Amino acid sequence: MALKNKYLADLLETVKKRNQGEPEFIQAVTEVFISLEPVAEKRPDLIEAGVFERIVEPERQIIFRVPWVDDNGVTRVNRGFRIEFNSAIGPYKGGLRLHPSVYLGIIKFLGFEQIFKNSLTTLPMGGGKGGSDFDPKGKSDGEVMRFCQSFMTELCKHIGPNTDVPAGDIGTGGREIGYMFGQYKRLRNEFTGVLTGKGLTFGGSLARTEATGYGLCYYTEEMLKANGKSFKGQTVVISGSGNVAIYATQKATELGAKVVALSDSNGYIYDENGIDLDLVKQLKEVERKRIKEYVNVHPEAKYTEGCSGIWTIPCDIALPCATQNEIDEQSAKTLAKNGCYAVSEGANMPSTPEAIDVYFANNMLYGPAKAANAGGVAVSGLEMSQNSERLAWTFEDVDGRLKNIMKEIFKSCDEAAKEYGCEGNYMAGANIAGFLKVAEAMKAQGCV
Ligand code: NDP
Ligand code: 2IT
């Protein structure tokens, strides 16, 4: 799909020139600009205030060396990033990704999307993202700790509970957040809510671990309900087997669905009886093993090498919860051909633009990442509230608030889509609703 609005088309050319070699970032900006065409037509005041030009340029980009010593005494060097993208509606907020594929373009696409996602949560959080090309896989706890301490030694100069509040993402879970929090506290001599996703004994929120997966299912259930459907009795395929995938499996099952597949970057398992989630939790959360080990306990299930094959499994609903661009045009066509009628995104930008075109061409329901996976950062926002008032809320309280927030997010997407003439296109609705709040704040605060 090409941009028809000349102003946005010209600006996109500038963005492309300025950010060469960062295809994921260009992909994210292009999608948002296409959605914002009716806004640019209706709101010349936002163009006059330079909001579109400013929102595609990070407020600050921090890139740093992360040296650490491995278990053999050898010095290793990784690259650390923190992109402080937009602080119009609150302190920068967003996760830290630790994965060998991390480079500037990945962190910028994630930070850019975080602006709109955080705006949709209704909570006061700006957009940011960070991470490193460090690979925690196969490293000892000691190596991970030394990396995290070195990473935080630089990062602590740039973050703070009212400035920038990082959290987890791929490769960054409770263990990593714990090591980073300990180092921040030691260096700054401050016990503050500077990170979210903390352990429950030192300021973490109940239900943060579950929040992204649960929130994805709450959002998806709202979308299904609005279209006369529900999870009940449906067959669901979920990619990944990390934090988001595990708790999406749990909630989808609770809501009456049967989840039949999970994956990791090596391959996927298919269990037609429904996934044994206790086993997956033991393998992934406790033993840090590969998903293929599942078939050692359940020989009736099938393991297949290669992760993209998971989309050939017939299902009613697909929940991609692994990584960016994991569903391409061909996989989307296969899903549609096999009768899948809804795709809702736990991962960030898991569908290529061509895949999204296939969803719309086949009248599938499409829950876009910025809205559908916002439950994680929403509960991070609730963790910040609890830290500020030095109180801890119950699981039921946090989960109840999460459910309401996901309902509100769906409503915002639905209403914005209707108001701007694209009813049922929740991607456009999410981009428009998320953008407008930030844009009003940027305009009101002047040219900063
Ligand atoms: P985890 O590290 O817990 O799990 C990631 C899962 O995705 C693993 O199963 C991993 O397999 C798989 N995966 C990662 N990279 C690739 C790849 N290049 N190809 C195939 N599979 C891959 O991360 P999360 O569950 O936290 O994150 C999953 C997705 O959800 C990400 O897109 C993240 O940005 C997004 N997200 C996370 C939130 C959170 O709160 N954690 C909030 C909102 C979105 P393997 O073990 O083989 O690497
Ligand atoms: O992509 C995301 O929204 C996250 N990784 C969670 C961010 C957060 O600050 O909790």
Side-chain angles (χ1 to χ4, degrees):
M1 217 161 115
L3 278 165
K4 291 181 279 292
N5 180 285
K6 171 133 176 41
Y7 171 77
L8 289 178
D10 289 348
L11 181 52
L12 184 61
E13 285 314 305
T14 307
V15 171
K16 284 179 180 169
K17 273 202 200 104
R18 245 195 198 155
N19 302 279
Q20 287 175 32
E22 298 172 11
E24 297 84 2
F25 178 59
I26 305 294
Q27 182 183 335
V29 173
T30 305
E31 179 206 292
V32 169
F33 274 16
I34 290 171
S35 297
L36 292 180
E37 282 193 301
V39 179
E41 304 289 339
K42 224 177 178 175
R43 296 292 304 271
D45 59 311
L46 297 179
I47 295 178
E48 225 165 87
V51 167
F52 294 92
E53 275 96 342
R54 288 189 283 142
I55 208 165
V56 293
E57 187 65 21
E59 289 177 17
R60 194 173 297 102
Q61 309 190 46
I62 303 147
I63 305 182
F64 51 99
R65 180 168 73 197
V66 189
W68 55 281
V69 178
D70 71 16
D71 286 346
N72 298 317
V74 176
T75 297
R76 309 275 285 263
V77 177
N78 287 103
R79 187 171 286 179
F81 301 89
R82 187 70 186 167
I83 305 300
E84 297 181 333
F85 222 117
N86 193 296
S87 61
I89 65 167
Y92 310 106
K93 180 83 195 88
L96 297 169
R97 178 173 291 190
L98 299 182
H99 193 272
S101 63
V102 163
Y103 78 105
L104 184 59
I106 293 278
I107 301 300
K108 276 169 66 180
F109 112 68
L110 290 163
F112 181 69
E113 298 221 314
Q114 202 81 41
I115 304 170
F116 308 97
K117 183 196 302 192
N118 293 3
S119 163
L120 285 169
T121 64
T122 70
L123 303 173
M125 299 182 289
K129 200 85 187 189
S132 172
D133 56 2
F134 173 79
D135 187 358
K137 242 181 261 150
K139 304 284 192 302
S140 68
D141 286 351
E143 289 177 323
V144 170
M145 181 178 75
R146 291 193 292 281
F147 167 82
C148 289
Q149 291 179 339
S150 179
F151 184 78
M152 185 51 82
T153 301
E154 176 59 33
L155 189 68
C156 79
K157 300 168 191 165
H158 310 284
I159 62 176
N162 295 311
T163 309
D164 184 355
V165 183
D169 193 77
I170 290 177
T172 306
R175 175 182 61 173
E176 290 74 17
I177 292 292
Y179 293 148
M180 289 184 197
F181 181 79
Q183 182 73 348
Y184 182 88
K185 184 166 61 64
R186 176 163 72 159
L187 291 168
R188 301 288 289 262
N189 194 23
E190 273 177 15
F191 194 111
T192 60
V194 68
L195 293 163
T196 60
K198 298 183 291 297
L200 297 178
T201 52
F202 53 97
S205 175
L206 285 163
R208 175 61 188 91
T209 304
E210 294 83 356
T212 312
Y214 278 22
L216 169 65
C217 292
Y218 296 148
Y219 179 92
T220 306
E221 186 73 347
E222 285 301 303
M223 177 174 80
L224 294 172
K225 205 167 75 185
N227 292 277
K229 299 187 180 317
S230 89
F231 267 116
K232 210 161 265 148
Q234 304 300 285
T235 299
V236 176
V237 164
I238 298 183
S239 63
S241 48
N243 172 264
V244 181
I246 286 174
Y247 291 95
T249 302
Q250 185 158 317
K251 187 52 74 178
T253 308
E254 271 175 42
L255 291 170
K258 182 161 83 167
V259 179
V260 295
L262 288 175
S263 63
D264 60 23
S265 53
N266 295 109
Y268 64 93
I269 50 162
Y270 171 61
D271 188 340
E272 64 176 346
N273 300 318
I275 293 290
D276 173 355
L277 194 60
D278 288 340
L279 173 61
V280 174
K281 283 187 184 172
Q282 177 65 25
L283 289 174
K284 303 303 285 191
E285 293 184 335
V286 182
E287 298 172 17
R288 297 183 188 275
K289 286 196 171 143
R290 309 305 299 160
I291 200 68
K292 73 168 170 220
E293 308 271 343
Y294 184 94
V295 296
N296 296 340
V297 179
H298 286 291
E300 72 285 6
K302 189 168 176 253
Y303 174 75
T304 309
E305 279 290 328
C307 50
S308 64
I310 193 168
W311 308 118
T312 63
I313 300 171
C315 64
D316 303 303
I317 299 165
L319 304 177
C321 295
T323 195
Q324 64 277 350
N325 292 326
E326 55 171 313
I327 305 185
D328 62 9
E329 182 176 15
Q330 194 48 49
S331 294
K333 283 183 174 162
T334 308
L335 281 168
K337 184 171 70 78
N338 288 338
C340 172
Y341 65 81
V343 178
S344 202
E345 300 179 330
N348 286 306
M349 207 168 77
S351 307
T352 65
E354 296 76 22
I356 297 171
D357 289 343
V358 172
Y359 306 153
F360 287 129
N362 287 277
N363 292 317
M364 291 159 79
L365 299 175
Y366 172 48
K370 287 183 197 83
N373 74 28
V377 74
V379 172
S380 280
L382 301 179
E383 184 170 327
M384 290 165 72
S385 305
Q386 293 169 78
N387 292 163
S388 297
E389 58 176 19
R390 301 194 187 285
L391 289 173
W393 305 342
T394 63
F395 188 96
E396 291 66 32
D397 188 355
V398 179
D399 187 40
R401 289 174 194 252
L402 169 64
K403 207 177 284 176
N404 284 336
I405 288 172
M406 299 316 295
K407 269 190 190 172
E408 283 306 311
I409 294 177
F410 177 73
K411 205 166 135 217
S412 310
C413 298
D414 192 30
E415 287 176 356
K418 283 179 185 148
E419 188 183 338
Y420 283 85
C422 40
E423 183 165 354
N425 181 341
Y426 307 123
M427 174 182 78
N431 287 329
I432 293 169
F435 170 80
L436 281 174
K437 178 176 172 187
V438 178
E440 301 295 0
M442 288 174 75
K443 185 183 161 197
Q445 291 170 28
C447 185
V448 291

